[in-house]
Amino acid sequence: MPSKISTSRVPLYRQVQDVLLQRLDSGALLPGDRLPPETDLAAELRVNRLTVRQAIGELTRAGRLVARQGSGTFVAPPPQHFPIELAPSYINDADGLSEAFRAVGRTLTESLVASEIVLGGSAPQVEKYLPGSRLRRIDSVLEVDGEPWFANSLWMDDRRFAGIERHLQDGVSLYTVWRDAYGVRMKAAWRSFAAAAASPRVSEVLGVPAGAPVLLRDGLNLDGDGTPTVYINRSCRGDRVQFVANYLH
C-alpha cells in the first residue's frame, strides 16, 4: 500500500504511526498478522529505523500491536472488555468483583506478588485513612481464567492481620482470607476511578508494555463496625475491563 511521509511539522514517528494505523483500520493488516521488519518499513517510508521503532512502540503501548520475543511484532486482537456493573451489589459488597465473574462462568484467582512493612510517611494517602497503624503492604495479581487482569496494592494493619501472606495460596482471594482466617467481613466505603499509564511494576505483573493504558481504581474498605480497615489501589487492564454505571431501575 503506498504511504506518504511529508515534511510537515508533525514528528516523523507520528506520521509513521498514522500510516500503520491506516493499515490496521483498513484491514490491510489483520489481527495476528506479522508486521514487516523495521528495516523494511524504514526503507519503504524513507525514514530512520529508530523512527519506525518509536512508532511501533507507541502502537504497542496503545494495545494495537503486540511484541513476541524472538518472533517479531504482530497485530493485536481487538480488545474484549468485560463489563463490570457498578450496581449496589458491587458497591455494597467488597467481594462483588468475584461474584461478577462467577455469574458468567469465569474463574477469578488471586496470587501473592510481594509483602512488606511500609515505613512511616511513605504512603501519606493511605495513612490519612489508616492512622497510627503498623502498615503492611500486600501486592497481588488477580487473574481471570489464568490471564492477569488486575494488579493490586493493599495496605492494612499488620498487627491485626499478622501473617496474612501465609494464607494467600491456591488462588484464594484476600476477601476470603479476611473473612475465614480473621473473621473480618469487608464492605466498600468508597471507590474512585482514573485513567493512567502502566508503571514498570504494573506492566511486569500484568504482562503489558510499560505505558499501556490502565484504569486505576482506588478505594477504602471498612470492617463490620465501620472502622477503616484496608486501602486498595488496583490497576485494571484497559483492554480487558470496562466499568458500567447503569442508571435505569
Side-chain angles (χ1 to χ4, degrees), residues 17 20-21 24 54-65:
Q17 185 177 335
L20 294 176
L21 278 173
L24 293 171
Q54 186 175 3
I56 289 175
E58 292 292 327
L59 290 174
T60 300
R61 282 187 285 274
R64 298 300 302 270
L65 301 175

Side-chain angles (χ1 to χ4, degrees), residues 209-243:
V214 294
L215 182 64
L216 287 183
R217 197 216 70 179
D218 274 40
L220 181 69
N221 282 353
L222 312 177
D223 64 14
D225 296 326
T227 302
T229 303
V230 176
Y231 189 95
I232 302 175
N233 173 271
R234 173 173 289 166
S235 296
C236 313
R237 281 182 56 166
D239 62 344
R240 290 292 184 269
V241 178
Q242 179 184 57
F243 287 93

Side-chain angles (χ1 to χ4, degrees), residues 162-236:
I164 191 169
E165 64 272 17
R166 295 196 301 268
H167 296 283
L168 283 174
Q169 53 188 338
D170 301 326
V172 177
S173 76
L174 268 166
Y175 288 101
T176 300
V177 171
W178 287 323
R179 183 192 65 208
D180 295 348
Y182 297 93
V184 178
R185 288 185 174 272
M186 300 286 182
K187 58 184 178 181
W190 56 264
R191 297 290 187 259
S192 69
F193 300 87
S199 67
R201 182 191 69 82
V202 168
S203 70
E204 182 178 359
V205 171
L206 295 182
V208 299
V214 294
L215 182 64
L216 287 183
R217 197 216 70 179
D218 274 40
L220 181 69
N221 282 353
L222 312 177
D223 64 14
D225 296 326
T227 302
T229 303
V230 176
Y231 189 95
I232 302 175
N233 173 271
R234 173 173 289 166
S235 296
C236 313

Side-chain angles (χ1 to χ4, degrees), residues 20-61:
L20 294 176
L21 278 173
Q22 290 171 7
R23 297 181 183 184
L24 293 171
D25 294 339
S26 68
L29 287 170
L30 297 172
D33 285 352
R34 185 179 183 275
L35 228 61
E38 292 176 0
T39 51
D40 292 358
L41 286 171
E44 175 197 346
L45 302 177
R46 298 180 182 179
V47 295
N48 189 286
R49 179 180 177 182
L50 294 178
T51 300
V52 172
R53 181 172 298 176
Q54 186 175 3
I56 289 175
E58 292 292 327
L59 290 174
T60 300
R61 282 187 285 274

Side-chain angles (χ1 to χ4, degrees), residues 52-232:
V52 172
R53 181 172 298 176
Q54 186 175 3
I56 289 175
E58 292 292 327
L59 290 174
T60 300
R61 282 187 285 274
R64 298 300 302 270
L65 301 175
V66 58
R68 297 174 186 164
Q69 188 69 31
S71 300
T73 302
F74 296 80
V75 180
Q80 295 184 355
H81 292 102
F82 179 84
I84 300 172
E85 187 173 357
L86 297 176
S89 59
Y90 175 78
I91 298 298
N92 296 326
D93 177 4
D95 199 19
L97 184 63
S98 298
E99 270 305 323
F101 285 104
R102 278 195 292 267
V104 293
R106 308 195 72 170
T107 301
L108 184 72
T109 56
E110 185 164 10
S111 301
L112 177 68
V113 174
S115 173
E116 64 177 344
I117 298 296
V118 179
L119 298 177
S122 62
Q125 173 69 10
V126 177
E127 291 166 356
K128 179 173 70 174
Y129 295 99
L130 303 174
S133 299
R134 170 187 162 99
L135 294 178
R136 176 169 293 278
R137 170 176 164 166
I138 294 283
D139 290 340
S140 69
V141 58
L142 289 172
E143 295 183 335
V144 178
D145 296 337
E147 183 182 37
W149 282 24
F150 307 92
N152 298 325
S153 291
L154 309 98
W155 291 261
M156 65 202 73
D157 187 330
D158 181 58
R159 295 179 179 87
R160 185 175 187 182
F161 299 106
I164 191 169
E165 64 272 17
R166 295 196 301 268
H167 296 283
L168 283 174
Q169 53 188 338
D170 301 326
V172 177
S173 76
L174 268 166
Y175 288 101
T176 300
V177 171
W178 287 323
R179 183 192 65 208
D180 295 348
Y182 297 93
V184 178
R185 288 185 174 272
M186 300 286 182
K187 58 184 178 181
W190 56 264
R191 297 290 187 259
S192 69
F193 300 87
S199 67
R201 182 191 69 82
V202 168
S203 70
E204 182 178 359
V205 171
L206 295 182
V208 299
V214 294
L215 182 64
L216 287 183
R217 197 216 70 179
D218 274 40
L220 181 69
N221 282 353
L222 312 177
D223 64 14
D225 296 326
T227 302
T229 303
V230 176
Y231 189 95
I232 302 175

